[in-house]
């Protein structure tokens, strides 16, 4: 049974890593889209607040679309976008829960 348990544990870890990479890719695209649309809309338009409400309503079973998290995604994207040629793949290996403190610490938050 030990070998079977090891195989199951490896499969779970592999699935978890794939899910994390997919989530980081989604957050990267979301951050990029928010920055682009925000620049067009201009500050003070309530863009992120509206986006948070709309995404939360559209996907009620998903977490991560709070105003606070969308600002964190935006900050994270801007932090890493300096060298965007290599970043999405490399950053996708780091879970979101670890990415947030890295960006917050670097920005003095």
């Amino acid at each position: 049974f030990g070998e079977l348990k090891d195989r199951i544990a490896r499969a779970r870890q592999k699935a978890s890593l794939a899910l994390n990479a997919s989530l980081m890719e989604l957050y990267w695209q979301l951050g990029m889209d928010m920055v682009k649309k925000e620049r067009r809309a201009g500050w003070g338009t309530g863009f992120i607040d509206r986006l948070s409400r709309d995404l939360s309503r559209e996907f009620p079973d998903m977490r991560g679309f709070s105003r606070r998290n969308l600002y964190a995604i935006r900050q994270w994207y801007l932090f890493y976008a300096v060298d965007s040629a290599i970043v999405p793949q490399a950053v996708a290996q780091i879970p979101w829960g670890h990415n947030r403190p890295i960006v917050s610490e670097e920005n003095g938050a």
Side-chain angles (χ1 to χ4, degrees):
F1 289 129
E3 186 179 320
L4 179 58
K5 290 177 184 178
D6 288 343
R7 216 174 313 149
I8 291 169
R10 284 193 307 274
R12 286 180 64 180
Q13 184 177 20
K14 188 176 178 181
S16 178
L17 291 173
L19 179 61
N20 179 70
S22 181
L23 182 63
M24 294 297 93
E25 184 179 338
L26 170 65
Y27 282 2
W28 183 263
Q29 293 297 319
L30 185 55
M32 185 175 12
D33 289 346
M34 282 191 296
V35 168
K36 286 179 185 176
K37 290 179 191 322
E38 197 173 45
R39 286 182 180 151
R40 283 196 302 256
W43 285 103
T45 61
F47 169 75
I48 291 181
D49 291 332
R50 288 193 324 269
L51 180 62
S52 173
R53 284 191 303 271
D54 189 56
L55 291 175
S56 296
R57 230 182 342 261
E58 184 70 25
F59 304 101
D61 57 326
M62 287 183 70
R63 295 176 39 186
F65 298 131
S66 68
R67 177 182 183 269
R68 181 177 181 179
N69 202 53
L70 290 179
Y71 272 106
I73 291 169
R74 181 185 169 279
Q75 179 185 20
W76 171 75
Y77 170 78
L78 290 171
F79 177 77
Y80 284 116
V82 176
D83 192 7
S84 62
I86 61 164
V87 169
Q89 297 82 17
V91 173
Q93 304 304 312
I94 305 169
W96 179 242
H98 293 136
N99 266 294
R100 283 189 72 173
I102 291 169
V103 174
S104 294
E105 196 62 34
E106 183 65 27
N107 287 325

